[in-house]
Amino acid sequence: MIRRTFVKGALTAAVAVALGAGGLCLTGCGGSGGSAGGTTSGGSGAGAAQEAVELQIFAANSLEKAMTEVQKYYTSLHPEVTFADSQFKASGDLVEMLVAGAPADILITASSGTMDSAEAFVVPETRMSMFTNDLIVCASEKSKLKINDLKDLKSKKVKKIAVGDPAFVPAGKYANQSLYSAEITGDRMYSAAEGEGGSYGGGIQDKIALADKVGTCAAWAASGNVDVGFIYSSDLYRYEGIKNIYTVPEELHKTIIYPGAVINTSKYQEQAETFLKFCMTDPEALKIWQENGFELK
């Protein structure tokens, strides 16, 4: 059940007079939020009205549905905190946006490596591992295709395979690692950014369709434009028309971690960190993540 916290803090005339006599400021101080260090989004004590804060979150595409729900829930508890039109894109694209100077308060990526590449933009001590996920092979709900091993992708029954471009899409990197570990590919990495410099090899080169994000992989699979696509298990909760036909063994790829951190140029670093911690501790928020297929770290 959602609980709302209301600030009462109404002063009687007598108290106001007493404070005035003591030389304390009662006007023009409403923006302090009741703490010496500034406003916090998690405060619930009495005092002046808290400063209105709008947080901008850059989050991995796969978090879109769940994060939107958690943001609405947070605002219902803390009306002074709202959220801008959060950017949900491939993790690599989010980092490129930061490099280009796009303003943000929080970054959440779908891989530790992508967060590492954003090291210059985050407050190191605020970085936290938030969720884990599974890499799966999806197909259209109408598909009768069965996969018992990644080597089955070399079958003539599989003509097209959607994989996120590993230059920008962490799920694509995990797919590459898995295909290489299963001795299906000749290279650890291939992406459109490398041009002719990389190759999937192993008999599946001509089958690969590179996608800009996991959502595109899911859409192509749902429509039948590809036979299968590599996505996260949580994506099954976001996209219709697809099903999981194979869960890739964890030992074939690096552990899928979603790290989050506060951006070092944010005007609201304290409030941003409070929200990140809320995401990982509030029972209702944790329930939302789990209902959307995310495993808690």
Side-chain angles (χ1 to χ4, degrees):
M1 183 174 97
I2 296 177
R3 300 179 178 177
R4 296 179 181 269
T5 303
F6 295 91
V7 179
K8 295 182 179 179
L11 297 178
T12 63
V15 173
V17 171
L19 290 176
L24 297 178
C25 172
L26 290 178
T27 60
C29 303
S32 65
S35 67
T39 303
T40 61
S41 59
S44 59
Q50 293 183 326
E51 176 187 4
V53 171
E54 184 180 63
L55 296 178
Q56 173 70 74
I57 297 180
F58 282 10
N61 179 260
S62 50
L63 284 166
E64 183 172 7
K65 182 175 181 293
M67 178 59 74
T68 300
E69 292 180 27
V70 171
Q71 288 174 353
K72 290 180 180 179
Y73 170 58
Y74 190 79
T75 297
S76 74
L77 296 176
H78 305 279
E80 76 281 1
V81 180
T82 57
F83 296 87
D85 184 17
S86 294
Q87 299 296 309
F88 298 102
K89 298 180 181 295
S91 297
D93 289 338
L94 295 174
V95 176
E96 287 196 345
M97 289 169 63
L98 291 175
V99 172
D105 300 294
I106 292 172
L107 173 67
I108 305 176
T109 65
S111 74
S112 297
T114 312
M115 181 62 78
D116 291 343
S117 69
E119 182 179 13
F121 302 96
V122 303
V123 181
E125 57 268 28
T126 66
R127 178 170 171 169
M128 62 183 74
S129 295
M130 302 180 70
F131 320 105
T132 62
N133 217 326
D134 291 319
L135 182 69
I136 68 171
V137 178
C138 74
S140 167
E141 285 183 339
K142 300 177 182 179
S143 175
K144 296 182 179 180
L145 185 65
K146 293 183 179 180
I147 297 293
N148 298 310
D149 188 279
L150 285 182
K151 288 184 173 62
D152 293 341
L153 295 178
K154 298 171 70 172
S155 167
K156 293 181 179 180
K157 294 180 180 179
V158 180
K159 295 179 176 59
K160 279 295 179 181
I161 305 168
V163 180
D165 185 340
F168 307 100
V169 186
K173 293 182 181 180
Y174 296 125
N176 267 351
Q177 292 166 9
S178 301
L179 292 168
Y180 182 83
S181 298
E183 300 181 345
I184 296 173
T185 63
D187 294 339
R188 290 181 181 274
M189 183 64 68
Y190 173 78
S191 75
E194 295 176 354
E196 298 300 322
S199 171
Y200 271 96
I204 66 169
Q205 172 65 32
D206 295 335
K207 298 182 179 185
I208 298 298
L210 288 177
D212 61 339
K213 56 188 177 183
V214 290
T216 302
C217 290
W220 287 350
S223 66
N225 286 334
V226 300
D227 298 291
V228 296
F230 281 91
I231 63 173
Y232 295 122
S233 57
S234 61
D235 292 317
L236 294 172
Y237 296 83
R238 298 199 302 140
Y239 301 107
E240 298 180 352
I242 56 174
K243 62 183 178 181
N244 178 11
I245 62 172
Y246 182 70
T247 299
V248 179
E250 293 181 3
E251 60 268 21
L252 293 183
H253 58 76
K254 292 182 179 179
T255 302
I256 299 173
I257 298 290
Y258 284 67
V262 175
I263 300 300
N264 54 23
T265 55
S266 168
K267 295 188 300 182
Y268 304 114
Q269 293 184 23
E270 184 178 354
Q271 294 92 334
E273 185 175 13
T274 296
F275 175 71
L276 279 179
K277 291 179 178 178
F278 172 90
C279 286
M280 302 309 300
T281 57
D282 181 85
E284 185 63 27
L286 296 178
K287 181 181 178 182
I288 292 173
W289 300 125
Q290 291 173 318
E291 288 178 345
N292 283 276
F294 291 96
E295 302 164 23
L296 304 177
K297 185 70 178 73

